Amino acid sequence: MSMGTSDVVVVTPPASAAASSGSYLEWGSIIGGGVLSAAITMVMAAFGSALGLSLVSAETGRSSSLALVTIAGGLWLIWITVSACFAGGYLAGRMRRPVQDVRTHERDVRDGAHGLLVWAVGALLVTMVASSSLFGVAKTAASGASAAATGAASLLNQQADPLASTLDSVMRNTGATPPTAEERAEASRILIGGMASGSLEAADRDYLASRVAARMNIPQPEAQARIDAAFTKLQQAKETAKQAAEKARKSAIITAFLTAAVLLLGAATAWFAAQMGGRHRDEDSDLDGFFSRR
């Protein structure tokens, strides 16, 4: 009796790299996309700062308006964010290993998640490079556009200390002995106290008027008029400073909200770009239309 033999072939499906590692994340593609995103951001930010500096000048007549510079800077920031996040997300989605044992929706979600991580890594890299001392020159150039826009105008319109200017107008020498440093300091304290309370007390007003009248050899009513005009001038300067501080506060709030909105736009761009890269990877799409020579 003879026994027949039979060959049994066992086919084992290849295990994906993600399954063998126990994680769906492929950090090689994520880090590569993040580095590319950060590099594009750095280059375009430096280029944009050069364009911004070309729009401003220390001479007011030759400088573009602050509104124009702000709008141009905002649009350029949006363009940088969208371009960098799209490139980094697409690279991560295209370079990720294909996974054939899941549904199309699940592949899109995994590719999009890689795009989000590319956005996060790129943001961290940009923050680290921008805050490092090695990036000091480029950091200065990046902030030069906005600083020059406001600095040029403030430099040309810069005025002397309001309190010192007011004391000069009150105690202007008319041929008599000029006031001493102690008298100016005393007048400063009285005027500052009146500004803090919102009004100059009658006793302080009469005292200052008498000292000014005696020192400057002018009538008492004229000295009182000088005191009143000086205090009104200081109140106006105080109100102007308050308005400038309120304007700066509102500008900071708007800038913070716009920055958050631009970052969210970058996250969404990286998500969809990674999904696009993943579909092109699965469809084996090529870019011959972009790089072929004709």
Side-chain angles (χ1 to χ4, degrees):
M1 185 175 78
S2 62
M3 299 180 60
T5 60
S6 62
D7 295 333
V8 178
V9 178
V10 178
V11 178
T12 303
S16 63
S20 63
S21 63
S23 174
Y24 294 128
L25 297 178
E26 298 184 16
W27 285 103
S29 61
I30 292 172
I31 295 176
V35 170
L36 176 63
S37 177
I40 293 176
T41 300
M42 293 295 102
V43 173
M44 296 184 68
F47 183 66
S49 66
L51 292 178
L53 289 173
S54 66
L55 295 177
V56 297
S57 174
E59 300 179 11
T60 308
R62 300 179 57 184
S63 179
S64 301
S65 64
L66 179 60
L68 176 61
V69 175
T70 302
I71 294 174
L75 293 176
W76 187 256
L77 178 61
I78 293 175
W79 173 249
I80 290 176
T81 304
V82 171
S83 301
C85 291
F86 182 87
Y90 183 88
L91 178 66
R94 190 67 186 258
M95 295 295 102
R96 198 171 77 89
R97 294 185 180 90
V99 181
Q100 304 297 337
D101 57 345
V102 295
R103 294 179 296 122
T104 302
H105 174 72
E106 181 64 21
R107 289 200 299 268
D108 288 341
V109 171
R110 294 182 187 181
D111 291 332
H114 280 68
L116 284 181
L117 289 176
V118 166
W119 165 79
V121 171
L124 290 177
L125 289 176
V126 170
T127 303
M128 291 171 58
V129 174
S131 60
S132 66
S133 58
L134 296 177
F135 196 62
V137 176
K139 181 180 178 182
T140 303
S143 60
S146 59
T150 56
S154 62
L155 205 64
L156 295 177
N157 298 326
Q158 187 177 12
Q159 58 181 3
D161 180 17
L163 181 59
S165 178
T166 300
L167 290 175
D168 290 338
S169 63
V170 170
M171 299 180 175
R172 185 175 294 113
N173 188 10
T174 57
T177 305
T180 62
E182 289 77 9
E183 290 175 332
R184 290 179 64 91
E186 184 183 34
S188 299
R189 290 193 296 270
I190 293 175
L191 292 175
I192 292 175
M195 290 179 60
S197 62
S199 62
L200 190 62
E201 296 184 0
D204 292 335
R205 173 177 175 270
D206 293 339
Y207 172 75
L208 281 179
S210 63
R211 296 298 301 270
V212 171
R215 173 66 71 174
M216 300 291 104
N217 293 326
I218 58 177
Q220 182 77 8
E222 182 179 348
Q224 292 178 348
R226 285 192 180 189
I227 298 297
D228 294 339
F231 189 74
T232 301
K233 182 179 179 181
L234 286 177
Q235 288 289 81
Q236 292 174 351
K238 177 183 176 181
E239 186 64 25
T240 301
K242 289 173 59 178
Q243 293 176 359
E246 181 67 15
K247 184 178 180 181
R249 184 185 69 86
K250 293 180 179 179
S251 298
I253 293 175
I254 295 175
T255 301
F257 276 110
L258 289 179
T259 301
V262 171
L263 289 175
L264 291 177
L265 177 62
T269 302
W271 170 278
F272 289 109
Q275 289 183 341
M276 179 186 296
R279 287 193 295 269
H280 289 177
R281 173 204 62 212
D282 296 337
E283 297 169 358
D284 197 19
S285 301
D286 55 47
L287 301 178
D288 290 343
F290 293 97
F291 302 106
S292 62
R293 295 182 180 179
R294 296 185 181 182

